[in-house]
Amino acid sequence: MNPTIVIGGGLMGSATAWQLAQQGESVILLEQQDTIYTSGSSHGESRISRSLGPQDDIFAYLQIQGIKETQQLIDFLNEHELETHSMEDIYRTSPVTYIFYPQTSEEIAVLNLDKPDTLAHPSGDSLAFAPDSETARTKFGLHLPDLLQTIREYRKYSGTMNPRALIQKLHRAITYSGNEVQYNQKVKQLKRIDEGYHLTILDTKNQTEKVIEAPKIVVAAGPYSGQLLNEICPVINQLITPSRLFLTFLKIKPAIYKRWSEEQKNKLRDGFPIIKLNDELFYSMIEQLDSDGIPILKVGGHFKRTPIENLNEVWKVPVSEEEVEWSKKELIEYLKMSELEVEITDLELHKGYSCVYSLTQSEVPYVANVPLATGEFDQNAVLVGGMSGVGAKGTMTYGLIAANLLLRKERRDDRMYKLTEKALGNERLKSDLEDLDR
């Protein structure tokens, strides 16, 4: 029997391949890039890891369950490599700061902070709420304008996670489990045949092609998923739309940062990641430390999206001066809220990067079987896509759901698993297809 093919060696494909391997499936994971990512949605070293949400919030569940799945991955690797892996290789625990603007204040009401049992994670001392500027200054040292409110989340493994480290560990685990990760393998064509699937693959290093057949497939190729499925299910291109996002990486000039006290430096480090729930949904986090130990601050806006002319070239599109200026302005505003007196001229651009969000209409991702022309679903093909910037923290749970779906396994005893599976899966995809026909 030919192995199951997973297309896409980023976060989602790697997590799915690992979960399949854990359950005894023979797997080949195909990745079109080399072992070191130079582009793609999984590029980089930081994503926000958080679990704040009401009790039935699927995105909170994805992260909470994902941490458990990640611990299992670490335990597996340590069995093979003599205790050389830890959760801290992937997670940087730090407070997560949420700033709520007046137009988003209803989101605080939904959280019902006075009743911790209604939250996805019982709060205890893990959440602190400042309903006004005076409380924000007392609790957090934040100088907020009037009408703004803030929450800080303090939980183990909330803070940031490192996609690069997680992918590397997943690939090692897949190999240790007796399966394959093949790099520089670009799937050019995917067709359905009677026995399963027919894949034409280009080796991007030596420019040779090969054809393989697989009884089952998983398509987790980010913004390329629609193109890959075009011959099998062209409607996916209508359901998932790629859009460009810019990221800037800024740092405080060394001459300024080195004059700061340890208290100021600690305040900077503890102040990230930050999510400002305004119209543009500004976020920032520490990507890494530079060679001088100065934090490099990754900055983006969840809704700062622009159309894509050429998907293969979008990763090379330079960040514009306007995008850099927006990033500096937003970052300075938050640093001043933190009572760290920095001017725009004190910031320098470390680098810029164009990334891609794959967007569904509702901005909720899919983990679903691929639709057939008959209106049924192909039980041997799974799509993991449409992450729209919300995938990283729940990587391992997305992979678990995708693997179980392909292997037709249910978890009847886990209420949140079932709710999440329903929200991401075939039922929702069918509803979206019906909406297209109207």
Side-chain angles (χ1 to χ4, degrees):
M1 176 70 71
N2 289 338
T4 294
I5 300 295
V6 179
I7 305 171
L11 286 170
M12 299 307 149
S14 299
T16 305
W18 161 240
Q19 295 286 2
L20 287 166
Q22 267 198 308
Q23 299 188 50
E25 192 79 352
S26 178
V27 180
I28 295 176
L29 176 63
L30 301 178
E31 168 53 45
Q32 68 175 345
Q33 297 189 71
D34 211 328
T35 53
I36 303 299
Y37 270 47
T38 57
S39 62
S41 298
S42 296
H43 176 72
E45 297 187 16
S46 67
R47 300 288 189 280
I48 295 178
S49 174
R50 62 184 184 86
S51 60
L52 180 65
Q55 195 169 60
D56 290 344
D57 181 59
I58 67 166
F59 295 107
Y61 169 77
L62 284 160
Q63 193 251 11
I64 293 166
Q65 182 63 35
I67 288 171
K68 297 176 185 176
E69 299 296 325
T70 305
Q71 184 64 66
Q72 290 182 22
L73 170 70
I74 295 297
D75 292 344
F76 174 87
L77 287 169
N78 281 333
E79 290 175 7
H80 291 81
E81 296 188 349
L82 301 176
E83 304 295 325
T84 57
H85 298 267
S86 74
M87 292 287 279
E88 284 68 30
D89 297 338
I90 297 168
Y91 294 100
R92 174 184 174 267
T93 298
S94 62
V96 181
T97 301
Y98 307 79
I99 295 179
F100 294 83
Y101 281 67
Q103 64 268 37
T104 59
S105 58
E106 66 274 8
E107 297 190 28
I108 294 181
V110 169
L111 290 171
N112 205 358
L113 295 172
D114 293 333
K115 298 180 179 179
D117 290 344
T118 65
L119 295 172
H121 225 313
S123 65
D125 295 330
S126 58
L127 292 179
F129 175 48
D132 52 56
S133 57
E134 183 177 345
T135 309
R137 175 171 283 190
T138 302
K139 282 189 174 182
F140 311 131
L142 283 175
H143 185 71
L144 298 182
D146 291 339
L147 302 178
L148 269 60
Q149 300 176 310
T150 190
I151 295 173
R152 269 197 174 156
E153 176 181 353
Y154 303 88
R155 293 192 177 102
K156 195 171 185 180
Y157 307 132
S158 287
T160 57
M161 60 162 293
N162 186 328
R164 179 175 295 160
L166 179 54
I167 289 169
Q168 289 173 348
K169 291 182 189 298
L170 284 165
H171 289 191
R172 293 176 82 87
I174 291 163
T175 303
Y176 277 129
S177 64
N179 295 281
E180 293 183 50
V181 181
Q182 297 182 5
Y183 301 99
N184 304 297
Q185 302 296 299
K186 181 177 181 177
V187 179
K188 293 182 63 179
Q189 189 176 50
L190 179 61
K191 290 184 176 181
R192 185 182 284 114
I193 56 176
D194 291 341
E195 297 79 16
Y197 302 89
H198 182 288
L199 294 85
T200 303
I201 303 168
L202 172 69
D203 186 311
T204 58
K205 271 199 168 179
N206 59 31
Q207 297 299 306
T208 59
E209 286 190 6
K210 63 182 177 182
V211 174
I212 63 172
E213 292 183 3
K216 300 175 186 175
I217 59 165
V218 176
V219 178
Y224 295 98
S225 293
Q227 291 181 8
L228 282 170
L229 287 166
N230 195 50
E231 292 192 39
I232 292 175
C233 184
V235 74
I236 297 300
N237 265 327
Q238 295 176 257
L239 295 174
I240 299 179
T241 307
S243 186
R244 174 187 174 267
L245 270 287
F246 68 86
L247 297 171
T248 58
F249 298 82
L250 306 171
K251 68 176 186 177
I252 297 163
K253 290 180 178 178
I256 303 295
Y257 185 79
K258 289 177 180 179
R259 291 204 298 263
W260 281 12
S261 66
E262 283 304 309
E263 182 181 358
Q264 288 174 305
K265 292 175 182 177
N266 288 335
K267 190 168 189 178
L268 176 72
R269 287 191 287 268
D270 288 344
F272 292 88
I274 162 70
I275 306 166
K276 284 169 55 178
L277 285 91
N278 54 6
D279 291 339
E280 294 163 324
L281 215 166
F282 162 82
Y283 56 83
S284 184
M285 66 205 78
I286 296 174
E287 171 80 357
Q288 59 188 128
L289 303 181
D290 75 359
S291 57
D292 294 324
I294 300 173
I296 296 170
L297 300 170
K298 172 181 171 182
V299 175
H302 185 78
F303 295 111
K304 299 288 284 184
R305 304 165 181 170
T306 53
I308 295 173
E309 294 182 7
N310 185 322
L311 185 55
N312 291 324
E313 298 296 324
V314 67
W315 319 100
K316 302 173 186 176
V317 173
V319 174
S320 70
E321 289 185 14
E322 291 79 7
E323 290 166 339
V324 173
E325 288 307 306
W326 178 88
S327 301
K328 287 182 175 180
K329 174 180 171 293
E330 291 290 329
L331 182 58
I332 287 292
E333 182 180 294
Y334 175 62
L335 291 174
K336 288 189 173 181
M337 287 181 189
S338 303
E339 298 181 325
L340 294 168
E341 289 302 318
V342 183
E343 302 301 327
I344 283 186
T345 53
D346 297 331
L347 294 176
E348 62 184 29
L349 179 66
H350 178 72
K351 66 176 180 178
Y353 180 68
S354 290
C355 70
V356 177
Y357 279 3
S358 300
L359 307 167
T360 66
Q361 188 170 2
S362 64
E363 304 213 2
V364 175
Y366 294 123
V367 182
N369 291 109
V370 174
L372 295 165
T374 60
E376 301 300 315
F377 287 89
D378 187 340
Q379 299 300 309
N380 295 320
V382 168
L383 165 68
V384 188
M387 292 298 149
S388 69
V390 299
K393 66 179 181 290
T395 294
M396 299 295 281
T397 313
Y398 285 112
L400 175 66
I401 294 170
N404 286 345
L405 184 61
L406 192 67
L407 299 177
R408 306 180 199 183
K409 293 186 177 181
E410 295 186 27
R411 289 174 56 146
R412 299 179 185 275
D413 59 335
D414 189 331
R415 187 181 72 89
M416 275 309 302
Y417 178 95
K418 296 296 290 182
L419 284 175
T420 306
E421 182 184 48
K422 181 178 180 181
L424 305 177
N426 294 356
E427 191 173 322
R428 175 167 147 259
L429 181 51
K430 185 174 182 180
S431 175
D432 288 354
L433 289 169
E434 290 169 352
D435 287 345
L436 279 181
D437 290 337
R438 292 193 184 106

